[in-house]
Amino acid sequence: MSAEFDIVIRGGTVVDGTGAPGFQADVAISDGAIAVVGTVAGKGREEIDATGLTVTPGFVDVHTHYDGQVTWENTLAPSSNHGVTTVVMGNCGVGFAPSRPEHRQLMVKLMEGVEDIPEVVMTDGVPWKWETFPEYLDFLDTRRTDVDFAAQLPHSPLRVYVMGERGTNLEPPTEADLTEMRRITREAIEAGALGVTTSRQLAHSFRDGRPAPSTKTEVDELKALAGGLKDAGAGVFQIIPNTNLPTPHEWEVIETLNETSGGKSVNFSLFTGSQVVGGPEPLLEGLARAKQDGRRIQGQFFPRPIGMLFGIELSYHPFSLNPSYKQIEHLPLEEKVARMRDPAFRQQLLSEQPEDPNPFFLWVVQQTHILFPLGDPPNYNPHPSDSIKARAETLGIDERELMYDELLRQNGKAIIYCPMGNTENNRFDAAVDLFGKPGTVLGLGDGGAHYGMICDAAYPTYMLSEYVRDSHKMPIEQAVSMLSRETAETVNLFDRGVIKPGYKADLNLIDLDRLHLYAPRVRHDLPAGGKRLSQQSDGYEATIVSGEITYRRGRPTGRLPGRLVRHGRPAPALAATE
């Protein structure tokens, strides 16, 4: 007798993504979609015993930067190691299309500065088989990966494509320039882009300190992009606010974009902490009003502090911008550690101050008051007394001496954690205060970027292990909904993120008791031998994308069902009739 279904998952606890209480059921899959949820009498070509496991929708990460990585490899890790089955890239107004041949090196330099991707990696890895954004999408259509991926049109490449050197030099656009940006935005949306993105964050800059082309543009230019969404009748506007301006001012910009786009969804990065001028309250109040009024405005927040990571193997550490370190920064790790252990070199390096043309990176390496050994398993919520500064005070030694010693641990492979933002009065779990607030949505994992600086794409595993299982700060039903349905809907992907008949068969089978997050580790597997941080986990018994098993117990099966997702997707008709 032939099998009735492709896969049947039996006896698991289904947490379906809607927020409803979990329930025990079978799940049957046919032709890449969920066919039955309940008691399945028919047989599957493959049967999976999910007794004792939690069955969830695949997670949807709406803030990634796999724009380059997807062009040279088939694994969108670290996201795909942590239950993510759909990623949305092209955020922060940076990317690789549209781009004329003479501007390609500029786009590489911009991604190097904003997203900490080494220039040599992109020069060697990105194939540049496109110029316009529709041509970029056509190229992406040929790619096969372990997760689905969707693209957005980035503002900085668009500005340079239209204005050339004037765009790079931050000159104001002409009316003709604005008309062309609006036209190209519409063209990109009609070709399948999920939205358009920009950044007003002044920290986003070239490595030499020049501002990214989008960061200082006037609101009229942003309105031209929003007008392109209105013309296309679809799409999302993603924006990084300027944290140096009062939050009420930035909220006005966000509301203007929502209105100008004809009510299209606006997703903005919601930062908290002392660096935000005016504090997050005006943004949270605005989100609550927008929700009440039925306007689609969402604040993307990260569920713990953004984890800036320092180390001798990594891009930065407290001494990496000191003049003497420049002499050794390109040496192999073993030689670098040997030089740093030399007493004379140590004394010289400790006597110096950082120097760099980019004020943001100078600021980063000077955040020495909140540094902690990360450990393994990683501790993202340390006690303030465990900081290097506090320990140095207890020991009666110079904190810089202790930082130096910490960097040399594990033969130079030790990682120091610098929690950035989402902190309040030394509370590193302050992000939990945003859970459930109207209009808030998870984001800012930044997978595919910050290869030697941040490794935050593992946040689904952290959410489920730290907040659900260990500290009981939220029920699993809420966490799963936040990781799947809620994120998917903000970018108009209504066909996934829920376990119901007709929905896309993207699923995780999770052993919550075994769920474990390992410390990030450096791998040298990028093009041109480039390095990146990776982060592994235990507890994902299986991950399924479009009805195909991509991972078993954390190991890849070799299946690559991931495809480019063009356009938003409606909820399945079958689900609408329930």
Side-chain angles (χ1 to χ4, degrees):
M1 182 177 176
S2 62
E4 185 176 348
F5 303 104
D6 296 329
I7 298 174
V8 177
I9 302 163
R10 297 199 181 272
T13 298
V14 175
V15 179
D16 67 8
T18 66
F23 56 95
Q24 192 169 20
D26 305 331
V27 179
I29 297 170
S30 289
D31 298 324
I34 296 168
V36 180
V37 180
T39 300
V40 176
K43 296 296 183 182
R45 193 170 65 247
E46 178 160 1
E47 297 264 333
I48 301 176
D49 182 2
T51 303
L53 302 181
T54 302
V55 183
T56 76
F59 305 140
V60 179
D61 191 336
V62 295
H63 193 110
T64 76
H65 293 279
Y66 290 109
D67 313 63
Q69 188 171 323
V70 73
T71 71
W72 68 64
E73 68 179 69
N74 306 108
T75 302
L76 299 188
S79 295
S80 56
N81 300 137
H82 300 277
V84 172
T85 55
T86 301
V87 298
V88 180
M89 55 197 191
N91 290 283
C92 302
V94 292
F96 298 105
S99 183
R100 304 183 196 279
E102 63 267 28
H103 299 146
R104 290 171 179 172
Q105 188 61 22
L106 183 74
M107 295 303 102
V108 165
K109 288 287 190 182
L110 183 59
M111 289 293 278
E112 177 189 38
V114 175
E115 303 300 341
D116 187 38
I117 302 174
E119 177 183 355
V120 65
V121 168
M122 293 177 283
T123 300
D124 191 74
V126 178
W128 295 112
K129 294 183 178 180
W130 59 83
E131 179 173 315
T132 68
F133 200 82
E135 288 170 348
Y136 176 62
L137 292 180
D138 288 343
F139 174 79
L140 293 181
D141 245 337
T142 69
R143 304 297 297 155
R144 302 292 180 259
T145 66
D146 55 357
V147 303
D148 279 355
F149 50 95
Q152 299 173 101
L153 172 69
H155 184 188
S156 281
L158 170 61
R159 184 172 220 266
V160 175
Y161 185 80
V162 171
M163 298 176 61
E165 190 173 333
R166 292 184 297 117
T168 309
N169 294 339
L170 309 182
E171 294 181 27
T174 64
E175 284 300 318
D177 294 330
L178 294 177
T179 298
E180 181 66 354
M181 288 187 211
R182 181 167 181 159
R183 183 196 69 78
I184 292 176
T185 300
R186 174 178 180 169
E187 175 187 67
I189 300 300
E190 291 178 341
L194 286 195
V196 64
T197 76
T198 193
S199 173
R200 292 164 58 81
Q201 175 57 260
L202 299 184
H204 284 169
S205 60
F206 291 93
R207 185 60 189 84
D208 61 12
R210 289 176 297 150
S214 73
T215 54
K216 294 189 176 183
T217 55
E218 298 295 333
V219 175
D220 280 351
E221 186 169 331
L222 303 183
K223 289 170 67 176
L225 308 184
L229 299 184
K230 183 176 183 179
D231 295 343
V236 175
F237 201 119
Q238 185 266 334
I239 179 171
I240 312 289
N242 184 343
T243 54
N244 293 329
L245 292 176
T247 45
H249 176 276
E250 293 300 275
W251 177 255
E252 288 183 11
V253 173
I254 291 165
E255 284 191 309
T256 297
L257 297 177
N258 176 249
E259 181 180 346
T260 306
S261 67
K264 302 298 179 292
S265 183
V266 177
N267 292 339
F268 70 92
S269 296
L270 175 59
F271 300 119
T272 65
S274 59
Q275 296 89 3
V276 180
V277 178
E281 289 76 17
L283 299 175
L284 293 170
E285 293 167 2
L287 283 170
R289 290 193 304 271
K291 181 84 170 178
Q292 189 173 24
D293 296 341
R295 289 175 291 149
R296 296 192 66 200
I297 303 177
Q298 293 82 217
Q300 291 182 11
F301 74 98
F302 195 62
R304 59 167 173 76
I306 293 171
M308 197 77 70
L309 303 180
F310 292 155
I312 298 174
E313 276 193 298
L314 305 183
S315 298
Y316 298 97
H317 58 73
F319 312 104
S320 59
L321 299 182
N322 290 12
S324 293
Y325 193 79
K326 299 293 184 184
Q327 304 168 17
I328 68 168
E329 64 179 347
H330 297 298
L331 293 177
L333 178 63
E334 186 176 343
E335 293 180 36
K336 208 181 297 187
V337 168
R339 288 291 304 276
M340 289 185 69
R341 283 177 172 158
D342 177 76
F345 185 84
R346 175 187 179 115
Q347 183 178 3
Q348 178 63 32
L349 197 58
L350 285 170
S351 71
E352 297 173 349
Q353 294 299 314
E355 299 176 3
D356 197 84
N358 192 312
F360 174 69
F361 292 113
L362 279 175
W363 177 81
V364 164
V365 301
Q366 291 172 327
Q367 301 307 297
T368 57
H369 60 292
I370 49 170
L371 299 184
F372 301 83
L374 182 62
D376 192 3
N379 182 9
Y380 295 107
N381 185 23
H383 192 275
S385 63
D386 293 329
S387 73
I388 293 175
K389 179 179 176 66
R391 287 169 51 214
E393 289 174 354
T394 300
L395 295 170
I397 62 175
D398 187 328
E399 65 182 80
R400 287 164 59 84
E401 297 274 1
L402 189 56
M403 282 178 222
Y404 202 102
D405 293 337
E406 289 290 344
L407 287 169
L408 290 170
R409 289 184 183 274
Q410 303 173 38
N411 294 318
K413 293 186 177 183
I415 293 178
I416 294 175
Y417 169 54
C418 180
M420 307 286 274
N422 290 348
T423 62
E424 185 177 343
N425 298 326
N426 287 324
R427 270 189 65 205
F428 300 121
D429 65 345
V432 300
D433 297 341
L434 297 177
F435 294 164
K437 290 286 180 70
T440 59
V441 64
L442 290 179
L444 309 183
D446 271 352
H450 305 293
Y451 283 136
M453 194 175 183
I454 296 172
C455 194
D456 282 347
Y459 70 87
T461 306
Y462 182 79
M463 287 270 295
L464 294 173
S465 56
E466 173 67 18
Y467 293 146
V468 172
R469 184 192 62 199
D470 296 342
S471 68
H472 306 290
K473 289 179 177 175
M474 69 165 58
I476 189 169
E477 292 85 358
Q478 180 186 3
V480 169
S481 181
M482 291 171 67
L483 289 164
S484 55
R485 179 184 62 83
E486 293 179 23
T487 47
E489 290 183 354
T490 66
V491 290
N492 298 323
L493 295 178
F494 295 97
D495 65 334
R496 63 199 68 203
V498 174
I499 303 179
K500 286 188 176 182
Y503 280 83
K504 193 168 181 291
D506 295 347
L507 300 163
N508 288 307
L509 280 64
I510 303 172
D511 185 339
L512 282 174
D513 292 335
R514 288 187 58 247
L515 203 61
H516 179 81
L517 186 61
Y518 291 90
R521 290 287 179 261
V522 173
R523 292 163 45 188
H524 293 264
D525 61 351
L526 287 172
K531 64 186 177 186
R532 60 173 151 185
L533 286 158
S534 67
Q535 193 165 19
Q536 300 299 314
S537 63
D538 289 336
Y540 292 93
E541 294 298 300
T543 296
I544 299 172
V545 176
S546 296
E548 296 190 41
I549 299 173
T550 53
Y551 287 85
R552 294 182 189 270
R553 294 181 72 87
R555 294 183 176 276
T557 64
R559 297 290 186 91
L560 299 173
R563 299 290 186 271
L564 172 67
V565 181
R566 291 188 192 247
H567 310 288
R569 301 289 177 88
L574 180 60
T577 63
E578 290 190 342

